[in-house]
Amino acid sequence: MLGRLNHVALAVPDLAAAIRSYEKTLGATVSVPLMLPEHGVTVVFVELPNTKIELLEALGPASPIAAFLAKSPKGGMHHICYEVTDLPAATARLVESGARILGDGTPKIGAHGRPVIFIHPGDMFGTLIELEEVSP
Amino acid sequence: MLGRLNHVALAVPDLAAAIRSYEKTLGATVSVPLMLPEHGVTVVFVELPNTKIELLEALGPASPIAAFLAKSPKGGMHHICYEVTDLPAATARLVESGARILGDGTPKIGAHGRPVIFIHPGDMFGTLIELEEVSP
């Protein structure tokens, strides 16, 4: 069921500083910033040969990462996203096991335009896990 | 400079429960547990098509993840490991930028038998980053 690691998301308080650090100090290739007001984040992708890292900065007062940054002002590891080919089946299996799906429990359209769910971190050993549906 | 994402490490308080959850609920392939007393962890690898996830449980009283689990008893995202082909050059670049290297600042032999360093999370936006040297 579990497919590729789609991305790891790191929340940062200052995206410009994080971009500089990833580009100049770590020598990584970083995309141009993308403002996603409907998701409450500005995001860049650190392109790696086998996956990508998303650096997230809060955008707007209702940003889903504002509370995270209030608790961890320096930033930190926010979530990890795995790909699945059948999100309804994966969701049903999770619910059956007792895991809680965030929101109303149904898939939403994520930042990449594909259906996603988030699993409650309390039911996944403290890690916020996103599942994104991809074509088989 | 920054190569593949080698792994993401998640600390868990109960490795057996985490293995069950990743195998049965998420449908992942998980390796047999490996005790690494010299690193103070028991580890399993969740094999994904493009990278791997390490699930870490504390082993022994001096485990480097014991303090993390004391603060986050449910577990959580512990570190992220990127591959580099020239660790001394990467380390020099980091030090030059003002980033602190954990320990005495020189590479150690990591859990995979290769030279590694850890960058102070305070100098990398709250994320603990491991760099592992791989062949070019």
Side-chain angles (χ1 to χ4, degrees):
Chain A
M1 179 173 125
L2 215 54
R4 292 175 75 255
L5 174 71
N6 186 278
H7 65 269
V8 182
L10 311 179
V12 300
D14 180 345
L15 191 58
I19 293 169
R20 273 197 303 279
S21 193
Y22 268 79
E23 282 184 337
K24 305 221 161 112
T25 309
L26 291 174
T29 302
V30 182
S31 73
V32 294
L34 200 62
M35 293 174 84
L36 300 170
E38 72 279 23
H39 291 283
V41 292
T42 303
V43 60
V44 296
F45 303 104
V46 179
E47 304 288 353
L48 303 176
N50 59 334
T51 189
K52 59 183 181 288
I53 307 297
E54 286 187 9
L55 302 179
L56 303 174
E57 184 185 59
L59 176 64
S63 173
I65 63 164
F68 180 93
L69 287 170
K71 233 171 146 181
S72 304
K74 282 175 179 249
M77 301 178 78
H78 188 264
H79 70 266
I80 184 165
C81 176
Y82 300 118
E83 297 178 355
V84 296
T85 53
D86 187 343
L87 190 56
T91 305
R93 198 156 150 173
L94 282 159
V95 169
E96 198 188 336
S97 80
R100 290 162 288 175
I101 308 302
L102 296 190
D104 66 5
T106 62
K108 299 279 169 295
I109 298 303
H112 307 137
R114 296 193 193 126
V116 302
I117 60 160
F118 283 90
I119 310 170
H120 194 300
D123 299 332
M124 276 292 155
F125 311 98
T127 292
L128 177 59
I129 293 179
E130 179 180 15
L131 297 183
E132 178 171 312
E133 187 165 84
V134 297
S135 307
Chain B
M1 177 174 126
L2 215 56
R4 293 176 74 255
L5 173 72
N6 186 279
H7 64 269
V8 182
L10 311 179
V12 300
D14 179 346
L15 191 57
I19 293 170
R20 274 198 303 278
S21 194
Y22 268 79
E23 282 185 336
K24 303 220 162 109
T25 309
L26 291 173
T29 303
V30 183
S31 73
V32 294
L34 200 62
M35 292 174 85
L36 301 171
E38 71 281 22
H39 291 284
V41 292
T42 303
V43 60
V44 296
F45 303 103
V46 178
E47 304 288 351
L48 303 176
N50 59 333
T51 188
K52 59 185 181 287
I53 307 297
E54 286 186 9
L55 302 179
L56 304 174
E57 184 184 59
L59 177 65
S63 173
I65 63 164
F68 181 93
L69 287 170
K71 234 171 146 180
S72 304
K74 283 176 179 247
M77 300 177 81
H78 188 264
H79 69 266
I80 184 164
C81 176
Y82 301 118
E83 297 177 356
V84 295
T85 52
D86 186 342
L87 191 57
T91 305
R93 198 155 151 174
L94 282 159
V95 169
E96 198 187 336
S97 80
R100 290 162 288 175
I101 308 301
L102 296 189
D104 66 5
T106 62
K108 299 279 168 296
I109 297 304
H112 308 136
R114 297 195 192 122
V116 302
I117 60 159
F118 283 90
I119 310 170
H120 194 298
D123 299 332
M124 276 291 155
F125 311 98
T127 292
L128 178 59
I129 294 179
E130 178 180 15
L131 296 182
E132 179 171 312
E133 187 165 82
V134 296
S135 307

